[in-house]
Each structure stands twice: as structure tokens, then as C-alpha cells.
Amino acid sequence: MNSYVLLSLAIVSEVFGSSMLKASNGFKRLLPSIAVVAGMGLAFFNLSLALKEIPLGTAYAIWSGVGTALTALVGVLVYKESLNVKKVAGLLLIIGGVVLLKLSTEG
């Protein structure tokens, strides 16, 4: 399977697991707690497979940067967290950094 598809699966799984952390209420609710463990386990599994072809620094930067941005978006859309200019600017800087790291490894 394409390493970037695996990385994308790792990102989606990590965002799901992170989002379930809030729903787990400090691991006091069973089903969301199970979802956290499953999401994070799948995330690390797919990340480990992606690392067979993608350099560690690049993969981790993409995984953490895109994961952070998507988790913030889930917070706004699902958990009704506030969004302001500073948060948007910070997320854009993260995404810009990920793009620059990806561009630096090509060629």
C-alpha cells in the first residue's frame, strides 16, 4: 500500500482517538475509552508502516501537524470550541511548516 495512504490512515486514526479523549471524560466512560485505545493503536500501527518509506522527520511532521489542525477543526465543529484569528493563524503556520518540510525532502 502507498506509504502516504498509510500516513493518511494514521492521521485520521489519531484524530479520532484524540477526539474520543474528550468524550471519554478522563477514561470514566467505557466506549469512548475503548475508542481512544483503538484509534491510537491503529494510528501508531499505520505510522510504523508508513515509516518504511517516508523519512521519520517528514512523516512525523506531517502526522503531528495535520493531526493538530484536524483535531482543532473537530474541536470547533463537534465540541463547539471557539475559533479566533490567533488560532487560525497558528494552524496556518503549522500547515505551512508541514508543506515546507515535505518540499525539502523531494528531489
Side-chain angles (χ1 to χ4, degrees), residues 1-101:
M1 184 178 284
N2 183 311
S3 57
Y4 284 97
V5 171
L6 291 166
L7 183 57
S8 297
L9 290 172
I11 292 167
V12 170
S13 301
E14 190 269 336
V15 170
F16 173 75
S18 295
S19 300
M20 289 295 100
L21 277 171
K22 185 159 180 98
S24 77
N25 191 27
F27 289 99
K28 291 182 179 132
R29 297 180 59 217
L30 181 61
L31 289 179
S33 298
I34 292 170
V36 170
V37 174
M40 293 302 190
L42 191 58
F44 283 110
F45 175 73
N46 283 309
L47 180 60
S48 72
L49 295 178
L51 287 172
K52 289 180 178 181
E53 295 183 24
I54 304 172
L56 175 63
T58 301
Y60 191 76
I62 293 170
W63 182 67
S64 61
V66 174
T68 298
L70 289 177
T71 302
L73 186 61
V74 168
V76 170
L77 296 176
V78 175
Y79 295 109
K80 307 300 182 210
E81 295 174 358
S82 66
L83 187 63
N84 58 43
V85 175
K86 289 179 184 177
K87 285 183 184 179
V88 171
L91 292 172
L92 290 174
L93 288 169
I94 290 169
I95 293 167
V98 168
V99 169
L100 285 174
L101 279 168

